[in-house]
Amino acid sequence: MNTHTADVVVIGGGVMGTSIARHLARAGVRDVVLVERDELASGSTSKAAGGVRAQFSDELNIRLGARSLEAFGRFEEETGQDIGLHRVGYLFLLSTPEEVTSFEESVRLQNSLGVPSRMTDPAEARRLSPLITTDGLLAAAFSPEDGHCTPESVVYGYAADARRHGARILRHTEVTGIELHGDDITGVVTSRGRIATDTVICAAGAWSRAVGAMVGVDLPVEPLRRQIAVTEPVEGLPPDLPMTIDFTSSLYFHGEGPGLLLGMSDPDETPGFDTATHDRWIPRLAEATTHRAPALLDLRRTGGWAGLYELTPDHNALIGEATSVSRFLYATGFSGHGFLQGPAVGEVVRDLYLGRVPFVDISPLSAGRFAADAPRPEANRV
């Protein structure tokens, strides 16, 4: 591969990179090149649980989630790609007075922004999600328009649409450096040659910190392994079973074909890029399941995988453009809710690139907020 030129190089072929490339290409940006060192969706996207929601505590996340839900609803019509969207709702199970108070506040904020979430009592929670027990439950929060879909399908749909609009996608191409002349980007060096460009967009997920370092920009993103298990078919599984989350333990599950997909956080996990699966988390999973959904204990595990969360110090995303170098944009550090915000973030980054005002002010998510000591914590995280 000889030297190529590009108006903009997007690094990362997951949901963020493909969404950004597609939004740029559709907006008429002529020479968009997306670079992915492996296969598309091979990083965190394909390992995501696939949940899509607008139930957050932070106004920015609510708006990014709601905007993305609308886009997921139109996805097949716009791209021709079936993403297996199941709008079965998200059900957060709450067991402490503090959780209830916090979610009541979040629901009020969500409702003011047009999200139809509501508080429910334990009896209704069990009607919605019959596999749970209500022991110790005080309340639940439910939003019927949330749900889940297939992450890889979203990536393939965006990639195909980006190509149709003229973008180029280079797989098995690793970025090894970014060239600077003074404070200006002049090119991207890859394992298959150089791409002359003056603009780079980092959408490298858990691997973003190393990309930022190439231009002296600190992107405080840390990888953390999270595991998911898949079960054998469940007899009589309701087709409209919501994504159910026991907020106290972080246990969650939703229908996956005829069986269930389930997972939870593991406080013993240490940061790193290891994505090998292990069984150390299973006793804790069993304990949470015994307490909240004992019916799941009898199910055989038929599969599972491990992927990486890309954590920031306040569990909120980094979206913006660097001020120290021209032009380096980034969308990373989503801390577990990146897949579901991919459509809206693609739109926002397109607007930042084109100098338009995005539909939502994302300046509070600038990577500079930590140096300025202005973190923006998200409470409704799993």
Side-chain angles (χ1 to χ4, degrees):
M1 178 169 123
N2 303 319
T3 294
H4 281 271
T5 57
D7 287 341
V8 54
V9 173
V10 180
I11 301 174
V15 70
M16 284 302 153
T18 54
S19 173
I20 290 166
R22 179 262 192 170
H23 280 89
L24 288 171
R26 277 192 95 136
V29 179
R30 275 206 307 279
D31 206 358
V32 178
V33 175
L34 183 149
V35 182
E36 164 56 49
R37 70 175 176 196
D38 200 338
E39 288 293 342
L40 293 177
S42 61
S44 297
T45 299
S46 63
K47 311 295 194 299
V52 292
R53 63 175 163 130
Q55 269 190 101
F56 287 96
S57 66
D58 177 299
E59 178 172 341
L60 263 173
N61 285 331
I62 296 167
R63 294 181 66 179
L64 290 169
R67 184 82 157 207
S68 294
L69 278 173
E70 288 172 25
F72 285 129
R74 301 189 304 267
F75 200 95
E76 188 171 359
E77 185 192 324
E78 287 187 355
T79 66
Q81 180 84 23
D82 174 8
I83 56 171
L85 180 62
H86 298 284
R87 293 190 95 156
V88 290
Y90 253 66
L91 180 70
F92 283 95
L93 307 173
L94 311 172
S95 309
T96 72
E98 294 76 20
E99 288 171 3
V100 174
T101 303
S102 166
F103 271 80
E104 283 172 343
E105 285 172 16
S106 294
V107 163
R108 277 196 295 276
L109 177 58
Q110 291 154 16
N111 292 169
S112 76
L113 295 165
V115 175
S117 52
R118 57 187 165 87
M119 299 299 291
T120 76
D121 63 11
E124 186 184 358
R126 183 145 202 265
R127 281 197 299 277
L128 289 163
S129 188
L131 297 168
I132 66 164
T133 165
T134 56
D135 297 352
L137 265 198
L138 297 180
F142 180 65
S143 189
E145 292 190 356
D146 296 347
H148 54 90
C149 60
T150 308
E152 300 94 302
S153 290
V154 172
V155 169
Y156 301 148
Y158 273 150
D161 207 43
R163 286 193 188 101
R164 276 195 293 274
H165 288 84
R168 285 179 293 155
I169 294 177
L170 306 177
R171 294 170 307 141
H172 303 287
T173 306
E174 185 166 2
V175 172
T176 55
I178 298 173
E179 293 176 355
L180 290 171
H181 182 74
D183 293 333
D184 296 323
I185 289 173
T186 55
V188 173
V189 184
T190 79
S191 54
R192 294 170 57 188
R194 177 177 181 272
I195 305 168
T197 188
D198 60 6
T199 305
V200 170
I201 300 174
C202 173
W207 298 268
S208 294
R209 187 165 223 157
V211 175
M214 292 174 183
V215 291
V217 172
D218 184 28
L219 297 175
V221 175
E222 200 170 55
L224 188 74
R225 173 168 47 190
R226 287 288 290 262
Q227 296 202 85
I228 280 173
V230 178
T231 77
E232 65 185 342
V234 181
E235 220 175 303
L237 187 69
D240 55 353
L241 181 79
M243 172 75 133
T244 305
I245 297 159
D246 183 41
F247 195 66
T248 314
S249 68
S250 85
L251 168 72
Y252 64 83
F253 57 87
H254 69 64
E256 183 79 356
L260 288 173
L261 175 153
L262 60 156
M264 68 183 290
S265 63
D266 178 0
D268 296 333
E269 197 62 76
T270 52
F273 288 100
D274 188 1
T275 54
T277 55
H278 62 72
D279 280 349
R280 290 194 309 271
W281 72 303
I282 296 300
R284 193 176 267 114
L285 180 70
E287 186 188 338
T289 304
T290 304
H291 178 62
R292 187 49 67 216
L296 306 187
L297 283 173
D298 302 330
L299 298 174
R300 202 165 43 90
R301 275 190 294 149
T302 55
W305 59 83
L308 297 175
Y309 265 27
E310 33 172 309
L311 296 178
T312 64
D314 62 3
H315 295 264
N316 238 331
L318 308 173
I319 308 172
E321 180 165 358
T323 51
S324 55
V325 55
S326 179
R327 297 190 69 189
F328 182 78
L329 292 82
Y330 50 84
T332 181
F334 288 88
S335 303
H337 41 259
F339 168 64
L340 67 91
Q341 293 185 347
V345 173
E347 228 185 288
V348 166
V349 174
R350 171 201 68 198
D351 291 346
L352 291 178
Y353 172 79
L354 293 171
R356 298 178 187 167
V357 177
F359 77 93
V360 61
D361 174 18
I362 47 85
S363 57
L365 296 179
S366 151
R369 70 182 181 269
F370 300 107
D373 201 22
R376 189 178 177 100
E378 169 56 54
N380 294 7
R381 58 179 202 266
V382 186

